[in-house]
Amino acid sequence: MVVREKILDMVIRCFKRHGAKGLDTPAIELKDFDIAGQYDPMIPDAECLKIMYEILSGLQLGDFLIKVNDRRIVDGMFAVCGVPESKFRTICTSVDKLDKMSWKDVRQEMVAQKGLTPEVADRIGDYVQCHGGVSLVEQMFQDPRISHSKQALEGLKDLKLLFEYLTLFGIDDKISFDLSLARGLDYYTGVIYEAVLLQSPTQAGEEPLNVGSVAAGGRYDELVAMFDPSGQKVPCVGLSIGVERIFYIVEQKMKISGEKVRTTETQVFVATPQKNFLRERLKLISELWDAGIKAEMLYKNNPKLLAQLHYCENSGIPLVVIIGEQEQKEGVIKLRSVATREEETIKRENFVAEIQKRLSQS
C-alpha cells in the first residue's frame, strides 16, 4: 500500500503542477489527465507528453520511450495501401499487436484471418516497421503513397509542430514517431501516444518483465459529443498513467534488490520483552503520536518479544522502542535499529526528540 500511495502521490503532484483540477471520481483523478477546449494546435498535446515524461522520469523505473503517431496518419496509410475502409479498425487492432508479435505473425493474421490480400499486407509492412524522430516525419511528407493522402498529410503537419514543441521542452530524445502505434480504440481522432519501458529490472538469466505500456493517451475530439444531448463537440486530449502496472514493476524491482516492500508507513514500533507492560507501552506510543510520529504496537497484553521484532522486520518498520523492568527502573528506553539490530540506551525524557532526530536523518 505504501509503494502504491507514493506512486499515486507523485502522479497527483505532477498533475497539480500542470494546473489539474480534481474530479469527484477518485479513480479518474488519480490516473488520468485531460485538457478540454479549443486551443491552438499541439500546445496541449505537447504538455500531455511532458507530463508523461516527468512522471516516468520521477518514478525512476528505468529507461523508457514514448511512441507517438496520429490516427489520421494510420487511416491515411491504410487507405493508400488499399485496405477497405470497412476493415480499418480490425486491421488497426492487428497492427497494435506488433509490440508483442513479429511482423510475420501479424501479416499472417491480416491475410488469413482478416481477409487482406498479401500485396496490401506487404504495403502496410513497408510502413509499420518504420520509427524515428522528426526526420521520419519529413520523410513521410515525400513518400509517394502517403503524400497522396490529405488526411495523412494533416497528421504529419501536426506531428512536425509537435516535435518542435517537444524539442523546446527538452524531451524530444525520449519521443519516437512510430508507425506501428495504432491504438485500436475508435474514439481517437488525432495524435496518439504510448510509453514503454526499454528495460525492466531482472536478475541474470531471468526473463524480462513484460508489462506492456505504462502510460498512454491521445486526442479524442468527438467523444464528448457522443454523450452530450446537444451533440456539441469539445476538443480533448489526455493521458492515462498505468498505476497498477507501475506498482508491479516497482514491487519487482524492490524484491530483486532485496529491499522490503513496505505495507505500512509506521516509523516506530513500541515493544516489550516482559509481561504486564501494556500501560507503559500505551504511554510511550501516545507520546509518539502526539509528536506526529507514525507508531504502532501489537494489540496484546503480553506479546512475545521475538514476535514483535519479526513483525517489524516483515513490515519494514525502521525503529523499535523497547521498555522493560530494567529500563523502567533506570528511567531509560532502548532504541533498536531493525536493519542493523543495534540497540542504544536513551533517557526516557529525551526519547521522542532522539527519534525525531534519527527520522529526519534517514
Side-chain angles (χ1 to χ4, degrees), residues 113-124:
Q113 298 179 28
K114 301 191 174 179
L116 279 192
T117 66
E119 294 78 16
V120 171
D122 288 339
R123 288 183 207 128
I124 293 172

Side-chain angles (χ1 to χ4, degrees), residues 48 58 62 108 157 216 221 256-257 270 275 293-294 306 344 362:
C48 284
Q108 173 69 15
K157 180 183 176 183
D221 288 345
I256 289 167
S257 67
V270 179
K275 294 182 178 181
I293 296 170
K294 298 169 184 175
L306 192 59
E344 184 178 346
S362 63

Side-chain angles (χ1 to χ4, degrees), residues 115-135:
L116 279 192
T117 66
E119 294 78 16
V120 171
D122 288 339
R123 288 183 207 128
I124 293 172
D126 291 339
Y127 293 108
V128 296
Q129 298 177 83
C130 296
H131 52 85
V134 70
S135 60

